[in-house]
């Protein structure tokens, strides 16, 4: 790290440091040219022989081709899962099931570095995130749910919990491996079998997970991983042998899924969009809160459904917070996801970048005050500078709609009643954050916020033991913790 000038500005952060590149090595990564479907314990070609490219969004280069599963492939996968459920998995003593889940967690830990690098290459997220958050948390979910497998009677006393059968699981591109773990681990612990589809732009870590599952000796057909687009997902949802649908993704697709399962006896959990309020009171530790805001919306490119994308700041500290926030985002490093210094990696796809750019235009056209970091961005790949819209109106589209990018809207407030009203006045209700010195204020606010998760004096903290999920158009059902088991059980 070469030092240019070492000053401490009033935000408390060292400034004007120039970082030399510190790229994570990716020479050890072995990717196949083509990836087939993981069905019944083997990698098999898709019936129609169709494949699509998955690219590195930071370089726009092709990483591999992956199979495009059609209805027939989905049917084979679901039947394999049903067969494994009837013949092996539901009959296996729970303590034996737990050993497989535990083994998957261990194997994932052993290959953690490989997983982190592939996650950053395929999805564009900074290696710091994939290495320190995604991969360890994914392994921890398997460890956590391995522990529950033979204790379901204690988790739900006197309720005779029983598995549902085949779980169809569809996940998005923002946390590819972690979402796979959130879905697969509790399904297996409760005795269900699985057909999982990763998102079309980020299939590689799920396919690597398939390799681990094969290596773990998990009985054939207990977990099937198939790749494809929306139609593949729809075929899973509509398959008559699927007993449970677990979906994380957009609210629009969530609504399609809910309509598709209406009138069937399939169980559903939906984790959909979000537009979280991050609320700063005058008595908050301001520097800490500024860092929390940055962590909440800018790290990870704002590609988090629970991203703190709406900032509410109490009037008395608004000028200070906005000034410090501007200073801070000037210092954020946007660029190579594999560089350990990078704060904001690549936007996941060209489509997503265009969507974010559209919203930035909408926000400007609406007349909101606009501020964007002047930091440099690579000339190739999909990148977006951290962006603020200041003095936004509650009715503004950039305040109301999910952007899923590094764009923060800022509103001020005077009283706790006012901020609760404004924060709740939105179709979503996934998460929120509150920054204050007063415990009583935290409890007052959290009990009135219509949000599934409320973080106090921190943001984006996850643990396998704590449940996560939404209110309103953010979906229903909980993942994680004890609650995460119940979505996979008949009781
Ligand atoms: P995002 O906007 O985050 O990409 P989507 O809801 O479009 O979210 O996608 C999330 C996941 O849902 C992906 O795996 C995608 O392929 C899948 N998907 C898209 N359309 C459908 C559909 N009609 N039925 C089931 N799954 C779908």
């Amino acid at each position: 790290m070469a030092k240019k000038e070492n000053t401490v500005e009033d935000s408390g952060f060292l400034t004007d440091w120039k970082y030399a590149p510190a790229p994570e090595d990716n020479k050890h990564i072995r990717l196949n040219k083509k990836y087939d479907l993981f069905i019944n314990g083997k990698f098999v070609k898709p019936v129609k022989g169709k494949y699509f490219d998955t690219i590195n969004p930071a370089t726009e280069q092709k990483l591999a081709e992956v199979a495009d599963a059609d209805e027939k492939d989905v049917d084979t996968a679901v039947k394999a899962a049903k067969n494994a459920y009837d013949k092996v998995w539901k009959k296996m003593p729970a303590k034996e099931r737990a050993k497989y889940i535990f083994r998957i967690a261990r194997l994932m830990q052993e290959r953690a570095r490989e997983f982190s690098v592939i996650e950053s290459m395929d999805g564009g997220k900074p290696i710091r995130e994939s290495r320190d958050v995604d991969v360890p948390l994914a392994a921890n979910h398997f460890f956590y749910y391995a522990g529950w497998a033979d204790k379901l009677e204690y988790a739900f006393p006197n309720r005779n919990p029983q598995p549902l059968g085949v779980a169809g699981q569809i996940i998005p591109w923002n946390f590819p491996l972690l979402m796979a773990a959130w879905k697969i681990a509790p399904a297996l612990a409760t005795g269900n079998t699985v057909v999982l589809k990763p998102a079309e732009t980020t299939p590689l870590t799920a396919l690597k997970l398939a390799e681990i599952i094969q290596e773990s000796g998990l009985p054939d057909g207990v977990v099937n991983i198939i790749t494809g687009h929306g139609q593949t997902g729809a075929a899973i949802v509509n398959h008559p042998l699927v007993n449970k649908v677990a979906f994380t993704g957009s609210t629009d697709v969530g609504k399609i899924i809910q309509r598709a399962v209406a009138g069937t006896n399939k169980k559903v959990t939906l984790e959909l969009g979000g537009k979280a309020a991050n609320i700063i009171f005058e008595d908050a530790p301001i520097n800490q809160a500024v860092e929390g805001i940055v962590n909440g919306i800018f790290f990870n490119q704002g590609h988090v459904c629970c991203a703190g994308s709406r900032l509410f700041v109490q009037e008395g500290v608004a000028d200070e917070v906005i000034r410090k926030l501007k200073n801070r985002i000037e210092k954020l490093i946007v660029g190579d996801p594999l560089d350990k210094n990078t704060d904001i990696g690549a936007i996941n796809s060209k489509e997503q970048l265009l969507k974010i750019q559209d919203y930035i235009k909408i926000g400007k056209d609406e007349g909101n005050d606009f501020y964007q970091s002047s930091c440099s961005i690579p000339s190739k790949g999909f990148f977006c500078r951290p962006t603020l819209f200041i003095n936004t109106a509650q009715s503004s589209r950039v305040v109301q709609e999910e952007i899923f990018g590094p764009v923060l809207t800022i509103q001020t407030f005077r009283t706790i009643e006012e901020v609760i009203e404004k924060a709740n006045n939105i179709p979503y209700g996934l998460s929120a954050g509150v920054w204050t010195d007063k415990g009583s204020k935290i409890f007052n606010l959290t009990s009135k916020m219509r949000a599934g998760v409320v973080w106090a004096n921190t943001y984006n903290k996850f643990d396998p033991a704590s449940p996560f999920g939404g209110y309103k158009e953010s979906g229903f059902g909980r993942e994680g913790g004890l609650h995460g088991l119940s979505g996979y059980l008949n009781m």
Side-chain angles (χ1 to χ4, degrees), residues 48-235:
K48 289 219 175 103
K50 282 215 284 189
Y51 292 80
F52 61 95
D53 293 348
T54 182
I55 65 154
N56 181 336
T59 61
E60 299 178 51
Q61 276 165 355
K62 174 171 153 183
L63 291 170
E65 282 175 28
V66 294
D68 197 355
D70 74 357
E71 272 179 32
K72 278 207 175 120
D73 300 305
V74 170
D75 184 54
T76 313
V78 173
K79 284 182 177 152
K82 171 78 175 133
N83 191 45
Y85 175 72
D86 288 335
K87 303 219 168 101
V88 186
W89 200 240
K90 81 170 172 195
K91 294 183 186 161
M92 189 182 281
K95 70 178 193 323
E96 296 303 317
R97 280 205 312 265
K99 289 182 194 166
Y100 288 106
I101 307 170
F102 189 77
R103 204 175 296 159
I104 294 169
R106 289 295 304 272
L107 287 167
M108 199 182 271
Q109 273 188 327
E110 279 172 22
R111 288 171 62 175
R113 196 181 158 93
E114 179 191 358
F115 269 102
S116 320
V117 175
I118 296 175
E119 198 72 310
S120 285
M121 288 169 68
D122 201 22
K125 63 171 58 195
I127 186 74
R128 224 170 50 200
E129 289 277 321
S130 43
R131 181 196 62 197
D132 298 348
V133 181
D134 296 57
V135 177
L137 260 180
N140 284 347
H141 267 82
F142 280 100
F143 279 124
Y144 175 77
Y145 281 113
W148 273 122
D150 62 350
K151 301 174 195 71
L152 299 177
E153 296 289 346
Y154 300 94
F156 307 104
N158 306 317
R159 294 178 64 188
N160 188 24
Q162 295 299 319
L164 305 172
V166 178
Q169 307 182 321
I170 299 162
I171 57 174
W173 43 260
N174 58 343
F175 288 90
L177 181 70
L178 183 59
M179 289 298 115
W182 275 28
K183 300 252 180 304
I184 297 174
L188 297 186
T190 45
N192 298 276
T193 57
V194 166
V195 177
L196 175 123
K197 189 192 91 65
E200 45 273 46
T201 55
T202 52
L204 293 182
T205 44
L207 291 161
K208 285 277 155 190
L209 176 60
E211 290 176 7
I212 278 188
I213 286 169
Q214 209 174 28
E215 205 184 324
S216 75
L218 189 77
D220 292 348
V222 172
V223 172
N224 305 274
I225 297 182
I226 56 172
T227 45
H229 296 81
Q231 286 139 319
T232 314

Side-chain angles (χ1 to χ4, degrees), residues 28-45:
H28 60 289
I29 299 300
R30 299 275 168 269
L31 290 176
N32 300 343
K33 282 211 166 110
K34 261 188 181 179
Y35 281 92
D36 292 325
L37 306 167
F38 183 64
I39 299 177
N40 211 21
K42 285 160 214 71
F43 284 92
V44 296
K45 299 204 173 312

Side-chain angles (χ1 to χ4, degrees), residues 1-9 13-19 327 330-331:
M1 189 170 69
K3 193 175 71 165
K4 203 172 78 184
E5 194 187 329
N6 176 11
T7 56
V8 180
E9 63 179 3
F13 298 107
L14 287 173
T15 60
D16 296 328
W17 290 79
K18 272 266 181 270
Y19 290 85
N327 285 341
E330 280 296 327
K331 306 292 180 298

